[in-house]
Coordinates of all heavy atoms in Angstrom, one line a residue:
M20 N 33.7 51.1 80.1 CA 32.3 51.3 79.9 C 31.5 50.7 81.0 O 31.8 49.6 81.5 CB 31.9 50.7 78.6 CG 30.5 50.9 78.3 SD 29.9 50.4 76.7 CE 31.0 49.3 76.0
K21 N 30.5 51.5 81.5 CA 29.8 51.0 82.7 C 28.3 51.2 82.4 O 27.9 52.2 81.9 CB 30.2 51.7 83.9 CG 31.6 51.5 84.2 CD 31.9 51.4 85.6 CE 33.4 51.4 85.9 NZ 34.0 52.5 85.2
R23 N 26.0 49.7 84.9 CA 25.5 48.8 86.0 C 24.7 49.5 87.0 O 24.1 48.9 87.9 CB 26.7 48.1 86.7 CG 27.4 47.2 85.7 CD 28.7 46.7 86.3 NE 29.8 47.6 86.2 CZ 30.6 47.7 85.2 NH1 30.4 47.0 84.1 NH2 31.6 48.6 85.2
A122 N 47.6 47.5 93.4 CA 46.5 46.8 92.8 C 45.9 47.7 91.6 O 45.5 47.2 90.6 CB 45.4 46.5 93.8
F123 N 46.0 49.0 91.9 CA 45.6 49.9 90.8 C 46.8 50.4 90.1 O 47.8 50.8 90.7 CB 44.8 51.1 91.4 CG 44.3 52.1 90.4 CD1 43.0 52.0 90.0 CD2 45.1 53.0 89.8 CE1 42.4 52.8 89.0 CE2 44.6 53.9 88.9 CZ 43.3 53.8 88.5
N124 N 46.8 50.3 88.7 CA 48.0 50.7 88.0 C 47.6 51.3 86.6 O 47.1 50.5 85.8 CB 48.9 49.6 87.9 CG 50.3 50.0 87.4 OD1 50.4 50.9 86.5 ND2 51.4 49.4 87.9
C125 N 47.8 52.6 86.4 CA 47.3 53.1 85.1 C 48.3 52.9 84.0 O 48.1 53.3 82.9 CB 47.1 54.6 85.3 SG 48.6 55.6 85.4
I127 N 48.8 49.9 82.8 CA 48.4 48.6 82.5 C 48.0 48.4 81.0 O 47.7 47.3 80.6 CB 47.1 48.2 83.4 CG1 47.0 46.7 83.6 CG2 45.9 48.8 82.9 CD1 47.8 46.2 84.7
V131 N 46.4 45.2 78.9 CA 44.9 45.2 78.6 C 44.8 44.9 77.1 O 44.0 44.1 76.7 CB 44.3 46.6 78.9 CG1 42.9 46.7 78.4 CG2 44.3 46.8 80.4
F136 N 41.1 43.7 75.5 CA 40.1 44.5 76.1 C 40.2 46.0 75.7 O 39.3 46.7 75.9 CB 40.1 44.4 77.6 CG 39.7 43.1 78.1 CD1 40.7 42.3 78.8 CD2 38.5 42.6 77.9 CE1 40.3 41.1 79.2 CE2 38.1 41.3 78.3 CZ 39.1 40.5 79.0
D182 N 46.7 53.8 80.5 CA 45.3 53.5 80.3 C 44.6 54.1 81.5 O 44.7 53.6 82.7 CB 45.2 51.9 80.3 CG 43.7 51.4 80.2 OD1 42.8 52.2 80.6 OD2 43.5 50.3 79.8
N184 N 41.3 54.1 81.7 CA 39.9 53.7 81.7 C 39.3 53.4 83.1 O 38.0 53.5 83.2 CB 39.7 52.5 80.8 CG 39.9 52.9 79.3 OD1 39.8 54.0 79.0 ND2 40.1 51.9 78.5
A185 N 40.1 53.1 84.0 CA 39.5 52.7 85.3 C 39.1 54.0 86.1 O 38.5 53.8 87.2 CB 40.6 51.9 86.1
I186 N 39.5 55.2 85.7 CA 39.1 56.4 86.4 C 38.5 57.4 85.5 O 37.9 58.4 86.0 CB 40.2 57.1 87.2 CG1 41.5 57.3 86.4 CG2 40.6 56.3 88.5 CD1 42.4 58.3 87.1
E214 N 28.4 55.7 86.3 CA 29.2 56.4 87.3 C 28.4 57.6 87.7 O 28.1 58.5 86.9 CB 30.6 56.9 86.8 CG 31.2 56.0 85.7 CD 31.9 54.9 86.3 OE1 31.2 54.0 86.9 OE2 33.2 54.9 86.3
S258 N 32.2 48.6 89.7 CA 33.0 47.8 88.7 C 32.5 46.4 88.7 O 32.3 45.9 89.8 CB 34.5 47.8 89.1 OG 35.1 48.9 88.6
K263 N 31.9 42.8 80.9 CA 33.1 43.0 80.1 C 34.1 41.8 80.3 O 34.7 41.7 81.4 CB 33.8 44.3 80.4 CG 33.6 45.4 79.4 CD 34.3 46.6 79.9 CE 35.0 47.3 78.8 NZ 35.8 48.4 79.3
H274 N 38.1 41.8 82.5 CA 38.9 42.9 81.9 C 39.7 43.6 82.9 O 40.4 44.6 82.6 CB 37.9 43.8 81.2 CG 37.0 44.6 82.1 ND1 37.0 46.0 82.1 CD2 36.2 44.2 83.1 CE1 36.1 46.4 83.0 NE2 35.6 45.3 83.7
T275 N 39.6 43.1 84.2 CA 40.5 43.7 85.2 C 41.8 42.9 85.3 O 41.7 41.7 85.5 CB 39.8 43.8 86.6 OG1 38.5 44.2 86.4 CG2 40.5 44.7 87.5
I276 N 42.9 43.5 85.3 CA 44.2 42.8 85.3 C 44.9 43.0 86.6 O 44.9 44.1 87.1 CB 45.1 43.4 84.2 CG1 44.4 43.5 82.8 CG2 46.4 42.6 84.1 CD1 44.3 42.2 82.0
D277 N 45.4 41.9 87.2 CA 46.1 42.1 88.4 C 47.6 42.4 88.0 O 48.3 41.6 87.4 CB 46.1 40.7 89.2 CG 46.8 40.8 90.5 OD1 47.6 41.8 90.7 OD2 46.7 39.9 91.3
P278 N 48.0 43.7 88.4 CA 49.4 44.1 88.0 C 50.5 43.2 88.6 O 51.6 43.2 88.0 CB 49.5 45.5 88.5 CG 48.1 46.0 88.7 CD 47.3 44.7 89.1
D302 N 35.6 55.4 91.6 CA 35.9 54.7 90.4 C 37.3 53.9 90.5 O 37.3 52.7 90.3 CB 36.0 55.7 89.2 CG 35.9 55.0 87.8 OD1 35.8 53.7 87.8 OD2 35.9 55.7 86.8
A305 N 36.8 51.1 93.2 CA 36.0 50.0 92.7 C 36.9 49.0 91.9 O 36.8 47.8 92.0 CB 34.8 50.5 91.9
T306 N 37.7 49.6 91.0 CA 38.6 48.8 90.2 C 39.6 48.1 91.1 O 39.9 46.9 90.9 CB 39.3 49.7 89.1 OG1 38.3 50.4 88.4 CG2 40.2 48.8 88.2
V310 N 40.5 44.0 91.8 CA 41.8 43.3 91.7 C 42.0 42.5 93.0 O 42.5 41.4 93.0 CB 42.9 44.3 91.5 CG1 44.3 43.6 91.5 CG2 42.7 45.0 90.1
Ligands
AMP423 P1 36.6 49.8 85.6 O1 35.5 49.4 84.8 O2 36.5 51.2 86.2 O3 36.9 48.8 86.7 O4 37.9 49.9 84.7 C1 38.3 48.7 84.1 C2 39.3 49.2 83.0 O5 40.5 49.7 83.7 C3 39.8 48.0 82.2 O6 39.0 47.8 81.0 C4 41.2 48.5 81.8 O7 41.2 49.4 80.7 C5 41.7 49.2 83.0 N1 42.3 48.3 84.0 C6 42.4 46.9 84.1 N2 43.0 46.5 85.2 C7 43.5 47.6 85.8 C8 44.2 47.8 87.0 N3 44.7 46.8 87.8 N4 44.4 49.1 87.4 C9 44.0 50.2 86.7 N5 43.3 50.0 85.5 C10 43.0 48.8 85.1

Side-chain angles (χ1 to χ4, degrees):
M20 182 173 15
K21 303 219 185 51
R23 293 173 280 274
F123 185 96
N124 192 321
C125 73
I127 204 86
V131 171
F136 293 114
D182 176 339
N184 287 343
I186 53 164
E214 325 281 70
S258 270
K263 257 180 138 186
H274 69 127
T275 315
I276 310 282
D277 182 348
D302 199 356
T306 305
V310 174

